[in-house]
Amino acid sequence: CLLKAVVYSNIGAVKYRLKKVRESMASFEAARASLEDDHEWPIEFHHHSEPHDDNRFPPRAHLLLVVRLNLSRVSLRLNQSDDAEKYCDLISEDSKPHRRNSSLLRTNSSLLQGGGGHRGFRRSNSFSAASSALKTSIAAYEYDIDRRSKWLSSVAEHYIAGLIHEAKGEPSDHKEACHHYNRLLSLARTKLDHRHAYIVALLERRGAVLFEQRKLPCSMLSYLACLKILEHQQSTGSNAFDEADLSRVLYGIARVLHDHEEYHDALHMYQRALACQRALAADAGRPSLDVITTLCNISRVHHLAGEIDASLAANREVLELALVLVGGKKEHPFLIHRLKVEGNILVEAGRLEDAMKTFVEAARRCSEDGRDRMITAMMGGGG
């Protein structure tokens, strides 16, 4: 029934927000199955149920659109691009004018039925509404549902399609993704407030794609526009965005500055992103991969700027946090790699004795084959 689908869909949304992606997928699948089960359609409200003024449910077609859109997004989070594309194709098919019109006709017919067996607007026993007021309410409701459906169809057609192309990672796909994001951004700016959450999401994704295309100035403009909205929302006390949103955008800006060799500004933005990431890691109660990634970049920028001690300090923190993250396994390849990085920095600084100690520690953690390869490389051998 529709009520069951709504409940499952809401549970899926909550699970997704809690980052329980696989559990959210199971809930959305249950909602989809409930909506696609012909035996449970249509829903009926019986006279003995507790009466109230508004028993409206969104049309089945609208609920199915919402569920399929959520399934496509979750599929992408699970790296199931083919499934995401399949759900988008279904949404596109159902959004064609002849399909949408037939759905609206069915909705209009059900809303105007009398008695307890309809799915729409049923007046309670204690209140009575004039026929004209009822029709006005129905018309407004239908208009709102149609408007929302068209917008969600556009999200599937452009935003989800853009994410699918972005996930493929080819240069032609980045171009297609940027095209989709620009199309939806143009539409969103006419339909929504310029500081709406959808605008922020589109600006962020466009900035990321432009970065991959090496269009650094354009990427920076997109990220900065996104940051301006986030900072405005933060200044007004809005809870529409959180520290995770801000940290991603700050990190994106820092990457652009880093690649543009504006090291001082890049460090400033990396530090701002790091502050957000540390706060999130503290709330989670465990080391964060985002913190480690940002510290690696901070170490690299300090190194490029000739600030050896600062670079080594950042790399030391990377080693400490990563050791906890991998469960104390000192032989983990990432830890060995970061020791090699430290050794190379020490060699460049002329601190050869310290460099040798670091390389020996890295070699000691390697497997026998890895140790042989590392010693050969240190001695300038081939292979």
Side-chain angles (χ1 to χ4, degrees):
C1 67
L2 293 187
L3 180 58
K4 185 190 292 185
V6 170
V7 171
Y8 277 128
S9 183
N10 287 339
I11 291 172
V14 172
K15 295 286 189 183
Y16 186 83
R17 291 292 295 174
L18 292 173
K19 295 182 170 53
K20 297 180 179 180
V21 182
R22 293 192 182 279
E23 292 181 28
S24 73
M25 171 66 88
S27 295
F28 288 132
E29 285 285 5
R32 179 190 61 78
S34 181
L35 289 167
E36 292 179 350
D37 189 345
D38 292 333
H39 297 295
E40 295 192 26
W41 174 257
I43 187 172
E44 294 187 356
F45 294 103
H46 301 290
H47 285 294
H48 57 74
S49 62
E50 184 178 350
H52 56 84
D53 289 326
D54 191 352
N55 270 339
R56 286 175 293 186
F57 270 89
R60 173 182 171 277
H62 178 77
L63 285 173
L64 191 56
L65 165 60
V66 171
V67 170
R68 284 172 173 170
L69 188 60
N70 282 322
L71 281 168
S72 68
R73 187 69 184 94
V74 176
S75 295
L76 279 173
R77 284 290 299 273
L78 296 173
N79 296 318
Q80 298 169 356
S81 298
D82 290 343
D83 288 343
E85 203 161 357
K86 177 189 70 177
Y87 289 121
C88 286
D89 288 342
L90 289 171
I91 291 171
S92 177
E93 179 63 27
D94 283 348
S95 299
K96 290 179 179 178
H98 69 280
R99 295 291 292 273
R100 188 166 62 244
N101 290 340
S102 64
S103 174
L104 286 173
L105 285 171
R106 288 195 302 272
T107 303
N108 187 48
S109 174
S110 66
L111 287 169
L112 291 173
Q113 287 175 3
H118 63 77
R119 303 182 296 282
F121 189 162
R122 177 163 61 81
R123 288 165 288 183
S124 72
N125 295 332
S126 57
F127 292 93
S128 177
S131 178
S132 59
L134 177 61
K135 289 180 180 178
T136 300
S137 175
I138 291 171
Y141 180 68
E142 286 181 358
Y143 173 77
D144 184 61
I145 288 292
D146 188 47
R147 179 178 60 83
R148 289 172 182 267
S149 295
K150 287 178 179 177
W151 167 253
L152 293 177
S153 296
S154 296
V155 170
E157 182 182 357
H158 296 299
Y159 182 66
I160 302 298
L163 292 175
I164 292 170
H165 281 292
E166 196 176 344
K168 292 178 181 177
E170 297 296 328
S172 59
D173 288 305
H174 288 143
K175 184 177 180 180
E176 280 296 314
C178 194
H179 167 73
H180 281 294
Y181 295 147
N182 282 331
R183 286 282 300 276
L184 190 58
L185 195 55
S186 298
L187 179 63
R189 281 173 169 156
T190 63
K191 302 289 185 183
L192 308 170
D193 182 86
H194 279 233
R195 291 170 176 156
H196 197 280
Y198 289 146
I199 302 288
V200 172
L202 288 165
L203 287 170
E204 182 188 348
R205 294 312 331 141
R206 188 177 70 174
V209 170
L210 289 168
F211 177 83
E212 294 298 332
Q213 292 180 292
R214 313 311 298 160
K215 297 179 179 179
L216 299 183
C218 294
S219 175
M220 176 62 78
L221 288 173
S222 197
Y223 275 131
L224 288 176
C226 184
L227 179 62
K228 185 177 180 180
I229 299 173
L230 287 173
E231 289 179 332
H232 170 78
Q233 296 287 353
Q234 199 174 47
S235 68
T236 60
S238 170
N239 61 357
F241 306 100
D242 56 22
E243 289 289 294
D245 299 312
L246 184 59
S247 70
R248 285 197 314 273
V249 175
L250 290 169
Y251 180 79
I253 293 171
R255 282 204 312 164
V256 175
L257 291 166
H258 185 165
D259 281 24
H260 213 254
E261 299 183 5
E262 298 179 33
Y263 299 136
H264 178 77
D265 291 335
L267 275 173
H268 174 66
M269 299 309 289
Y270 276 137
Q271 292 291 356
R272 286 188 63 187
L274 185 62
C276 295
Q277 292 165 352
R278 287 191 194 279
L280 292 167
D283 290 341
R286 65 186 186 88
S288 161
L289 184 59
D290 290 335
V291 170
I292 292 170
T293 302
T294 301
L295 281 169
C296 286
N297 286 333
I298 288 173
S299 176
R300 177 62 177 160
V301 172
H302 278 306
H303 182 201
L304 291 169
E307 300 164 351
I308 300 301
D309 288 339
S311 178
L312 290 170
N315 194 64
R316 272 287 133 193
E317 188 173 0
V318 168
L319 287 165
E320 291 169 5
L321 292 174
L323 182 61
V324 177
L325 195 63
V326 300
K329 298 177 181 177
K330 292 186 176 182
E331 68 279 6
H332 193 281
F334 177 77
L335 294 173
I336 295 171
H337 168 70
R338 293 313 300 183
L339 282 172
K340 292 178 185 177
V341 169
E342 181 176 314
N344 289 330
I345 294 172
L346 289 167
V347 168
E348 289 185 28
R351 294 162 57 177
L352 301 183
E353 186 175 344
D354 290 337
M356 183 55 67
K357 289 179 181 177
T358 302
F359 285 132
V360 168
E361 174 62 18
R364 188 178 63 80
R365 298 186 186 187
C366 288
S367 64
E368 188 172 341
D369 289 343
R371 189 180 302 119
D372 290 342
R373 288 195 299 271
M374 183 175 172
I375 292 171
T376 300
M378 288 172 59
M379 297 179 66

